[in-house]
Structure formats: structure tokens, C-alpha cells
């Protein structure tokens, strides 16, 4: 049936074109993997382009992504990049059937774009960072050129030899299969080399022996954890602790070679290493950390037992004075190994609160996700203005002279944590049986403390909740309130008052520019 076989040939050619394009992209990315592993994992094209995309994303979109996809925001971004690349590759593959040279040059162009992105990362290690994208693109372009040549003959049928079409198809299949196998091999090699990359850092973490603190955390008062099912754990286990950062590839820093430089306005430049910090008198404190992107009722808040070096001491030794004592620098800018910058008020860091360079979290060294080997913490400030992970540099400057990463992107220069109360139980849209229901949750106002929590059902009167003891003003505080649930739909609302006597305002505000405000409420149905 010549008609059918004609149709098959007509579909075969474009299909072969698309396959050529996809294999070209796959090979380019796969070859870039081992090259990146040998130069720098962060310089890989997907990572470089993804990181550039993160930096260029407008603040509202980024905030939306964090709120919507949460800790999966990076997976979603990478998925988006892969989908976009797949479509582009398919189009290039089709184009290559006619314009083989131009389409292959197009692949090179994407390589150049990846290289430019890699070279412009704040943590670029130099010209070598261009290599993964460029080498990948050269191989990808060659693959497209070769495969498109074969693909354009698929379905070609000289009048006399009916066997040629099948022959061309089989030829294309053989070459493309070989290419796919080679690409997968290159990718696997990259993975293997990459695994080796973080090994030194992992070994240095394994080797850390945390000393006993000179100033242990005060014992938690009895009852900080209320015996109510569904309430948060007072101390958040590491595996449940929220993670918010811009790192597509979590930095793996070797504690053995890690250094922290303190420099800037009015200070003697100092460099500290990890062993030196470990040998200093350490403080251990329970501190609640909150993200400015946390919506009312949101999950980006957690409490851990941190072990660290008092930051004010280090700064004083370097000659730093707070502005209130005549110091010229009012902003302390922390920089991480991946180029993130965060700025805290020098006054807050030195006012006697437990600002620290943390080396330990919940009894162990910092997990890589949370900043190993060293991160900063300043109780009372949102994470983006204080809690630098993978820190490597502290610069004394002024708020006038320098805007850190998030401030350049529409967030506030100064951001003390806003007072918030969250209902942990019942869960939103819970279905409950009539009778006594324990409404319970957490409230926080770091460094001011929580003095009162009130609960209201529907438009009823505010009722004082029972408060668990306050561990410190720097931690959240649990609360519970028995409610006699009657059949029907009900809205439960909570509000907190902080140690300065301020009660949360009802007015809901967005997270941008300095944190969400407003009362949390939960709707539940009693049947
Ligand atoms: N290097 C680096 N440090 C960072 C960030 C980051 O993106 N990069 N994010 C900050 C933000 S916005 C918050 S809320 C906290 C979150 O710390 P966690 O991930 O340990 O919970 O880290 C802060 N430190
Ligand atoms: Mo944050």
C-alpha cells in the first residue's frame, strides 16, 4: 500500500528532526555534567541559567513561587527550564532538516548564553566557569549537524530502490541510539564525579566534634510543649526545619579550608578559621527563625537549639563600635560562598542580644542545607536580614552605601520580625465532632516575647488562651484554648500581644516589603 507507506515516510522525517534536536540538547547537557564536575558544579548550564533566572525574577513572582511551591520552588524552576529546553530543542531539530548549519549554530548560541550566565554569577570562579556550557554546546551542535544530516534523508525514496527509505531510517535509528547511549554515559560520569566533589566537605563535617558550650542554653521550662495533638514541636527537628535560599546546588564547604573575613569601615581586618571559632567560648541558645516570605499562618518558622560564637565579641575584637557609641558603620553585610548578601543593623547585633555565628544546630554540626560550616543568626530579625548561611565574609558598611541582595529586589532594608500567632490545630477545613475541641498553636515575636494570645470563634468575644511558659523572648510560645464546638461552620481567629504591649493588627498585609501582618484564622465544620 504505497499511500500508507508514503504517510509513514512523511511523519518519519519530522520525527527524526525532532529526535535530532532532543538528542542534541540531551548530549549538550550530559557532556556539560562531567565538565562542570571537574571545574565547578555550580557552573553547569542548568544551574547557571537557573540561578540567573532566580536573580532576575521580579520580587512578586519570586515571593509567589516561594509561597506556592515552598521548598519545591527550585524543582519547579528546574522543571520549567527542562520543558522550555525540550520545546526549543524540538524546534531547532525541525529547523535543522532544512537549515542544518544555522540550527547547529543556534545550539552554539545557547552555549554562549549559558557561559555568560555562569561567568556573571556572583560566585563565579573565573573563566573556567564558561567551559561546561561551551564544551556541552560544541558537542551538542556537532550531534545536531550529524543527526540532522541523517534525518533529512529519512523517508527519501529514490523511485527505483524501495529499500533505501528503510535503510535510511535504520541508519538514523542506529546513530541516534548510539548518541543517546553516549549521552547517558556522559551524564552518569558527571554524576559520579560530582559525588566525589562534596566528599571532602562531608568528611570535614563528619570530623567536627562540638565542644560543650561555655554558656549552655537555659533548661526549657516544664510545659513549653503543650500536650495537644497536632501542635508544632517546640524544638523543630532538623528534618522538618524549613529551608529558604536561592541555592540551586547546596554549597558544600570544607570546614578545613573555610575562612571568615571581617573587614570594612573602621575595623582592623581579621580572618578566622573554623578551628579557631570552635575553640572560643560558645553559647547555646533556643532561637526561633522566621522567613519574611511566611504568610499569615504559614510554615516558614522554626525553633532550634543553636550553638555558636557570640558575634558581638568578634566584632568588638576587630574594633567595631555600634553607632550609639560613635561607630561609623551602621550596617553589617554578611556574604556567603555563593554570593548571597544580607545586611543587619550593627546596633541590633551589638545590643546584647544573642547574635551569633552558629556552628551547631540541635546537637550536631550545621546540616549543609542550613549553612555548614557556619551561619549567622540575629534573634528578632527575619532571615533575609540576618541569617546568612555558608557565610564567609562580614563587612562593616552603612545602609546608605550598600543594598544587599533582597533589598535590591524591593524588600525592606530593616526588617524586625512581626508579631504573629498561628493556629496549628484544628487544620483548615477540618471536620470535627461536637464537644470540647482544643484549639492550639504557636505565637512568636522574637526578642520582644509573647505576653498574651486571644482566640475568637466567629463574631464572639475574644477569650484569653492558656499560655505555655515562655522559654525566652527569642523563642515562640505555645498556646491552647478549649472550645465548646457546636454544629455548623465556624471561623476561629487568633491574635497575639508582644512584650511591648502591642497587639497584632487585624489589617492583612502582603509579605513584601517587610513581612505579612494580620490575624490567622481557620474555618472548621462541626457535624
Ligand atoms: N547564603 C544564603 N543564606 C541565606 C539565604 C540564602 O538564600 N542564601 N536565605 C535567607 C533566608 S531568606 C532565610 S529565611 C534563612 C532560612 O534559613 P534556613 O533555610 O536554615 O531555614 O536563611 C537566610 N540565609
Ligand atoms: Mo527568608
Amino acid at each position: 500500500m504505497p499511500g500508507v507507506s508514503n504517510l509513514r515516510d512523511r511523519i518519519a522525517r519530522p520525527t527524526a528532526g525532532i529526535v535530532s534536536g532532543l538528542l542534541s540538547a540531551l548530549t549538550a547537557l550530559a557532556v556539560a555534567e562531567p565538565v562542570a564536575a571537574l571545574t565547578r558544579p555550580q557552573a553547569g548550564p542548568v544551574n547557571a541559567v537557573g540561578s540567573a533566572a532566580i536573580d532576575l525574577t521580579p520580587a512578586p513572582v519570586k515571593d509567589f513561587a516561594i509561597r506556592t511551591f515552598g521548598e519545591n520552588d527550585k524543582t519547579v524552576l528546574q522543571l520549567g527550564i527542562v520543558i522550555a529546553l525540550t520545546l526549543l530543542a524540538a524546534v531547532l531539530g525541525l529547523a535543522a532538516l532544512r537549515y542544518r548549519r544555522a540550527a547547529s549554530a543556534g545550539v552554539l548560541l545557547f552555549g554562549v548564553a549559558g557561559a555568560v550566565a555562569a561567568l556573571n554569577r556572583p560566585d563565579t570562579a573565573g573563566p573556567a566557569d564558561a567551559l561546561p556550557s561551551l564544551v556541552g554546546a560544541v558537542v551538542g551542535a556537532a550531534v545536531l549537524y550529524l543527526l540532522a544530516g541523517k534525518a533529512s534523508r529519512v523517508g527519501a525514496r529514490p523511485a527505483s530502490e524501495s529499500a533505501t527509505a528503510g535503510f535510511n531510517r535504520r541508519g538514523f535509528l542506529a546513530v541516534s541510539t548510539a548518541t543517546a547511549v553516549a549521552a547517558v554515559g556522559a551524564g552518569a560520569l558527571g554524576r559520579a564525579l560530582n559525588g566525589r566533589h562534596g566528599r571532602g566537605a562531608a568528611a570535614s563535617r563528619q570530623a567536627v566534634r562540638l565542644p560543650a558550650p561555655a554558656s549552655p542554653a537555659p533548661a526549657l521550662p516544664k510545659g513549653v510543649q503543650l500536650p495537644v495533638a497536632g501542635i508544632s514541636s517546640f524544638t523543630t527537628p532538623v528534618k522538618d526545619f524549613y529551608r529558604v535560599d536561592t541555592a540551586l546546588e547546596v554549597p558544600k564547604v570544607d570546614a578545613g579550608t573555610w575562612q571568615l573575613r571581617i573587614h570594612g569601615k573602621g575595623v582592623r581586618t581579621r580572618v578566622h578559621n573554623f578551628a579557631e571559632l570552635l575553640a572560643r567560648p560558645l553559647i547555646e541558645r533556643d532561637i526561633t527563625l522566621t522567613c519574611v516570605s511566611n504568610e499569615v499562618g504559614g510554615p516558614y518558622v522554626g525553633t532550634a537549639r543553636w550553638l555558636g560564637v557570640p558575634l558581638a565579641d568578634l566584632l568588638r575584637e576587630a574594633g567595631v563600635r555600634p553607632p550609639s557609641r560613635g561607630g561609623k558603620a551602621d550596617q553589617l553585610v554578611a556574604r556567603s560562598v555563593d554570593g548571597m548578601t544580607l545586611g543587619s543593623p550593627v546596633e541590633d547585633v551589638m545590643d546584647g542580644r544573642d547574635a551569633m555565628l552558629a556552628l551547631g544546630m540541635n546537637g550536631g554540626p550545621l546540616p549543609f542545607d542550613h549553612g555548614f560550616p557556619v551561619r549567622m543568626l540575629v534573634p528578632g530579625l527575619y532571615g533575609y536580614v540576618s541569617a546568612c548561611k555558608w557565610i564567609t565574609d562580614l563587612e562593616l558598611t552603612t545602609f546608605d552605601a550598600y543594598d544587599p541582595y533582597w533589598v535590591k529586589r524591593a524588600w525592606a532594608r530593616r526588617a524586625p520580625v512581626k508579631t504573629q500567632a498561628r493556629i496549628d490545630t484544628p487544620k483548615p477545613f477540618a471536620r470535627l465532632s461536637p464537644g470540647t475541641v482544643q484549639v492550639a498553636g504557636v505565637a512568636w515575636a522574637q526578642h520582644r516575647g509573647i505576653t498574651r494570645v486571644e482566640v475568637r470563634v466567629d463574631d464572639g468575644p475574644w477569650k484569653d488562651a492558656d499560655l505555655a511558659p515562655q522559654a525566652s523572648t527569642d523563642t515562640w510560645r505555645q498556646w491552647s484554648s478549649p472550645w465548646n464546638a457546636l454544629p455548623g461552620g465556624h471561623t476561629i481567629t487568633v491574635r497575639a500581644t508582644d512584650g511591648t504591649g502591642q497587639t497584632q493588627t487585624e489589617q492583612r498585609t502582603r509579605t513584601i516589603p517587610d513581612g505579612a501582618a494580620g490575624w490567622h484564622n481557620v474555618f472548621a465544620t462541626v457535624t
Side-chain angles (χ1 to χ4, degrees):
M1 279 166 70
V4 168
S5 113
N6 237 339
L7 178 69
R8 213 167 96 180
D9 290 343
R10 269 210 309 259
I11 297 174
R13 222 171 79 94
T15 305
I18 290 173
V19 169
S20 306
L22 295 181
L23 279 178
S24 157
L26 177 73
T27 315
L29 293 181
V31 166
E33 287 259 337
V35 181
L38 291 175
T39 49
R40 226 166 56 86
Q42 280 82 356
V46 174
N47 190 77
V49 172
S51 301
I54 290 177
D55 290 355
L56 294 174
T57 305
V61 179
K62 186 145 37 188
D63 193 47
F64 165 82
I66 292 178
R67 281 186 282 113
T68 313
F69 306 120
E71 319 228 328
N72 296 322
D73 56 348
K74 293 175 192 76
T75 317
V76 170
L77 173 72
Q78 273 159 328
L79 208 68
I81 292 177
V82 168
I83 291 172
L85 266 179
T86 306
L87 291 175
L88 271 166
V91 169
L92 272 178
L94 280 173
L97 289 172
R98 278 190 157 212
Y99 312 103
R100 194 143 72 111
R101 291 231 174 94
S104 305
V107 175
L108 288 180
L109 222 60
F110 278 106
V112 171
V116 168
L119 291 177
N120 281 297
R121 299 305 310 143
D123 57 338
T124 181
D129 280 4
L131 281 179
S133 291
L134 291 184
V135 174
V138 167
V139 177
V143 164
L144 184 61
Y145 192 78
L146 176 83
L147 283 180
K150 300 242 172 247
S152 56
R153 283 193 293 279
V154 168
R157 179 190 291 270
S160 57
E161 297 169 65
S162 61
T164 312
F167 172 78
N168 284 340
R169 195 150 46 221
R170 279 194 299 277
F172 175 78
L173 266 177
V175 176
S176 53
T177 306
T179 306
V181 169
V184 169
L189 175 68
R191 293 269 137 148
L193 288 173
N194 224 339
R196 204 190 54 180
H197 187 86
R199 230 171 270 167
S204 78
R205 185 172 179 278
Q206 288 264 306
V208 172
R209 295 285 166 272
L210 295 175
S215 166
L220 290 177
K222 236 183 141 84
V224 287
Q225 179 71 54
L226 293 177
V228 179
I231 199 169
S232 309
S233 172
F234 178 84
T235 301
T236 313
V238 166
K239 67 171 177 28
D240 297 334
F241 207 96
Y242 80 92
R243 176 187 160 206
V244 169
D245 56 58
T246 58
L248 276 176
E249 180 100 22
V250 173
K252 297 274 163 59
V253 181
D254 189 327
T257 53
W258 175 87
Q259 287 193 326
L260 172 72
R261 192 164 75 109
I262 303 179
H263 63 111
K265 246 186 180 2
V267 295
R268 296 178 290 278
T269 299
R270 294 192 150 224
V271 177
H272 298 278
N273 63 33
F274 188 73
E276 236 177 275
L277 292 192
L278 260 192
R280 294 177 67 100
L282 303 182
I283 58 171
E284 180 191 49
R285 298 289 183 266
D286 295 302
I287 296 169
T288 298
L289 181 62
T290 315
C291 181
V292 72
S293 289
N294 193 49
E295 280 189 293
V296 171
Y300 303 135
V301 52
T303 303
R305 179 159 287 191
W306 307 94
L307 177 72
V309 176
L311 181 52
D313 290 355
L314 275 187
L315 294 181
R316 264 191 294 273
E317 285 171 28
V320 180
R321 275 176 298 144
S324 60
R325 302 260 179 91
K328 285 193 209 70
D330 61 359
Q331 182 177 216
L332 178 65
V333 172
R335 264 189 198 80
S336 68
V337 298
D338 60 335
M340 171 56 64
T341 51
L342 304 83
S344 321
V346 174
E347 197 64 51
D348 291 354
V349 171
M350 301 188 78
D351 72 358
R353 71 182 77 192
D354 291 316
M356 67 164 92
L357 293 178
L359 316 165
M361 178 181 189
N362 288 354
L366 286 180
F368 286 113
D369 280 359
H370 297 289
F372 182 81
V374 181
R375 78 171 308 165
M376 195 169 128
L377 288 173
V378 184
L381 307 183
Y382 281 121
Y384 85 103
V385 288
S386 65
C388 186
K389 304 194 275 190
W390 316 295
I391 192 172
T392 187
D393 189 286
L394 279 171
E395 181 178 358
L396 278 299
T397 180
T398 61
F399 281 100
D400 282 342
Y402 184 77
D403 283 339
Y405 186 92
W406 291 107
V407 176
K408 287 197 183 91
R409 291 163 173 80
W411 296 84
R413 287 201 172 80
R414 295 168 188 263
V417 174
K418 292 185 181 173
T419 304
Q420 276 290 317
R422 182 178 78 190
I423 300 169
D424 285 344
T425 179
K427 297 277 174 254
F429 308 108
R431 300 201 153 265
L432 309 166
S433 310
T436 302
V437 170
Q438 285 295 336
V439 179
V442 286
W444 60 88
Q446 287 93 307
H447 213 56
R448 300 184 299 278
I450 292 291
T451 52
R452 185 180 195 189
V453 172
E454 297 159 280
V455 176
R456 184 179 77 178
V457 177
D458 300 322
D459 294 324
W462 286 104
K463 194 181 127 195
D464 272 303
D466 302 316
L467 288 175
Q470 172 99 69
S472 96
T473 59
D474 294 339
T475 60
W476 58 13
R477 187 168 188 179
Q478 300 198 344
W479 56 268
S480 73
S481 181
W483 166 44
N484 182 21
L486 300 176
H490 299 286
T491 301
I492 310 161
T493 307
V494 66
R495 71 177 183 195
T497 301
D498 71 16
T500 70
Q502 289 278 337
T503 300
Q504 275 180 264
T505 50
E506 177 172 16
Q507 183 69 40
R508 284 258 183 144
T509 64
R510 306 193 315 150
T511 53
I512 299 176
D514 62 355
W519 299 338
H520 186 212
N521 49 43
V522 161
F523 181 84
T525 309
V526 181
T527 46

